[in-house]
Amino acid sequence: MASAVDAAGDPIPTSAVLTAAAKHIQFRCQEENVAFLKCKKKDPNPEKCLDQGRQVTRCVLSLLKDLHQRCTKEMDDYVGCMYYNTNEFELCRKEQEEFEKKCPLE
Amino acid sequence: MTEAAIRNKPGMASVKDMPIVQDGPPPGGFPPARYARRIPNKGPSAVAIFLAAFGTFSWGMYQVGKGNKIRRALKEEKYAARRAILPVLQAEEDERFVKEWKKYLDYEAEVMKDVPNWKVGESVYNSGRWMPPATGELRPEVW
């Protein structure tokens, strides 16, 4: 599999990368997520929620980049394990612990 | 000839005086054989057996409950991860959809430009809610 980063060094938001960072996203991007979901609940029209959507994307992509810069090796290991085990948390506990030790969820 | 040699009794006058060799009971008869039932009445009582079965069953169900708790926690972890990444994925798809929809509306405007009283992009439903386009194909360029 290709590496988890593209040419500029930003992590590509594949399913393995997103599930690996899911707990961090849940903590750090919670307001943006909730605002987007509220907007969607009010009106499911995609054209009406583009702003909140852009904020969500910006938050998540910057969070991924920040995580990757702070703990490169642990995140790469965890993402590789997730990719190998198709996003099963139970099979990657060791890598998950190392990742969360290096980059703790605040 | 050999029978006489085996069953020889010294002082035998003829073959007719040979001693008789027969399979029979020992002298005094056989000892008496017991044929009466003697099933012992010891061992666990009914109450003890019932309590043992009930105890094993309840211990087993307790283990099942513990295992279910662990499995539920694992499932909750998976669902929480999916809930966390849902907005990103939906936002990306919304961007892509809006771009494609604008192209489609332009195409529709061009095709129907000579039709009087045609509102481009008008919803075909009367409920007022936004419904996704029901073209039968979600992503034509993929399928």
Side-chain angles (χ1 to χ4, degrees), chain A residues 37-74:
Chain A
L37 291 173
K38 283 207 175 102
C39 170
K40 272 285 174 186
K41 194 171 162 104
K42 229 173 14 175
D43 187 0
N45 193 348
E47 290 162 4
K48 302 282 185 298
C49 293
L50 284 180
D51 271 338
Q52 284 90 340
R54 284 193 195 110
Q55 285 187 8
V56 166
T57 324
R58 193 185 321 145
C59 175
V60 169
L61 288 182
S62 72
L63 171 63
L64 287 181
K65 189 171 172 128
D66 173 50
L67 285 177
H68 190 76
Q69 277 173 349
R70 279 199 292 157
C71 4
T72 315
K73 182 177 170 320
E74 282 78 11

Side-chain angles (χ1 to χ4, degrees), chain A residues 84-99:
Chain A
Y84 186 70
N85 292 317
T86 46
N87 307 335
E88 283 282 341
F89 283 107
E90 190 62 17
L91 302 174
C92 290
R93 288 294 176 205
K94 191 162 75 80
E95 283 84 359
Q96 183 187 7
E97 281 199 15
E98 287 171 18
F99 178 55

Side-chain angles (χ1 to χ4, degrees), chain B residues 78-95:
Chain B
K78 183 160 84 156
Y79 300 156
R82 287 185 184 170
R83 272 197 293 270
I85 65 182
L86 165 75
V88 208
L89 302 172
Q90 185 63 53
E92 285 184 354
E93 170 62 22
D94 281 354
E95 293 275 340

Side-chain angles (χ1 to χ4, degrees), chain B residues 36-58:
Chain B
R37 291 171 48 180
R38 280 193 210 157
I39 301 175
N41 207 11
K42 52 188 186 159
S45 69
V47 179
I49 295 177
F50 177 77
L51 286 181
F54 186 72
T56 310
F57 175 71
S58 30

